[in-house]
Amino acid sequence: METELKRGFLVRQRAFLKLYLLKMIEANKRYGTQFLDDLRTEFKPYGYHPTHSEIYKTLHELTREGWVRREKKLLGEPGVDFQEIIIYHFTEKGKQEYELYRKQMKVELDRCLGLLNQAMSDHYGPIKRK
Amino acid sequence: METELKRGFLVRQRAFLKLYLLKMIEANKRYGTQFLDDLRTEFKPYGYHPTHSEIYKTLHELTREGWVRREKKLLGEPGVDFQEIIIYHFTEKGKQEYELYRKQMKVELDRCLGLLNQAMSDHYGPIKRK
DNA sequence: GCATGAACAAATTGTTCATTG
DNA sequence: CAATGAACAATTTGTTCATGC
């Protein structure tokens, strides 16, 4: 899973989403489509609209690597009786990996911010602080 | 050339490099390999090591779109008599396009910084300022 | 060997189709 | 029809090979 963390230029979408999904899984009780909706809402101001496919692929990856396990459930909403959803829970391994991953991603995000700020400064003058 | 500017998630490497190359071309009198070396040096602290292929492809793109014209020259270094290099100069169109592109990229880089700062704040608490 | 260029390959992401309850 | 999943397509980027002095 190390290979996904950095790529020289900017952080990859998949790695970025993974960080968010892990956090959301930690908070429990949500499922794929809701993750997607929440993320789209949060990122809307930045013009970033993730696709459902990226979300699911990231969740599959987390499952494949044993960071989370899946629990099938029925969406218990009034009127909707038989919609199956999948809830994700951390495994023991996953908890530990998350902790580590979170730390690594801090470094990575810092690096990306550094790169972008450098560009800002190179092309638009020194960074303005409020 | 609009399609390259943004892609929802983070700015693409090509768009990022283009901004730098345009600036370097404006400063005149350098050629491909030197651009590459300069960029690698500048980005080294950020662990970003662009490839020669990306640089050339970007330069070709600028040429194809008529932003720059190419001038073949002999690298006038002592001892090296016949090494051909290519110097890039802006076209009239290119000067104008660069001005516009620079402005657009400011918006784009701001957006990316926003997204990354949001992630920082979401996962590691409020942004620290010095 | 250095600068350039292009072919090719891999990686990443997005679009569309399929399934299941 | 909502949620999930997978096939497939496109895009983006990197690696390798080629060429001309």
Side-chain angles (χ1 to χ4, degrees), chain B residues 17-84:
Chain B
L17 286 177
K18 190 184 293 180
L19 185 66
Y20 272 91
L21 290 172
L22 287 168
K23 191 190 178 88
M24 290 167 126
I25 289 170
E26 194 185 35
N28 247 343
K29 302 296 170 203
R30 314 218 78 183
Y31 56 95
T33 299
Q34 287 202 341
F35 292 148
L36 181 63
D37 289 345
D38 290 358
L39 291 173
R40 283 180 173 172
T41 301
E42 163 151 24
F43 298 136
K44 190 160 191 182
Y46 307 103
Y48 170 39
H49 188 84
T51 66
H52 88 273
S53 154
E54 267 304 298
I55 302 294
Y56 284 117
K57 278 187 280 185
T58 309
L59 290 171
H60 297 162
E61 194 177 299
L62 290 173
T63 308
R64 232 185 305 115
E65 310 224 3
W67 294 27
V68 299
R69 65 184 171 75
R70 296 151 50 97
E71 179 195 6
K72 293 198 180 183
K73 263 195 147 184
L74 292 179
L75 177 58
E77 286 194 354
V80 189
D81 299 329
F82 27 64
Q83 179 61 64
E84 224 179 25

Side-chain angles (χ1 to χ4, degrees), chain A residues 15-30:
Chain A
F16 184 88
L17 285 177
K18 191 184 293 179
L19 186 65
Y20 272 92
L21 289 172
L22 287 168
K23 190 188 178 91
M24 290 167 127
I25 289 170
E26 195 186 35
N28 247 345
K29 302 297 169 202
R30 316 216 78 186

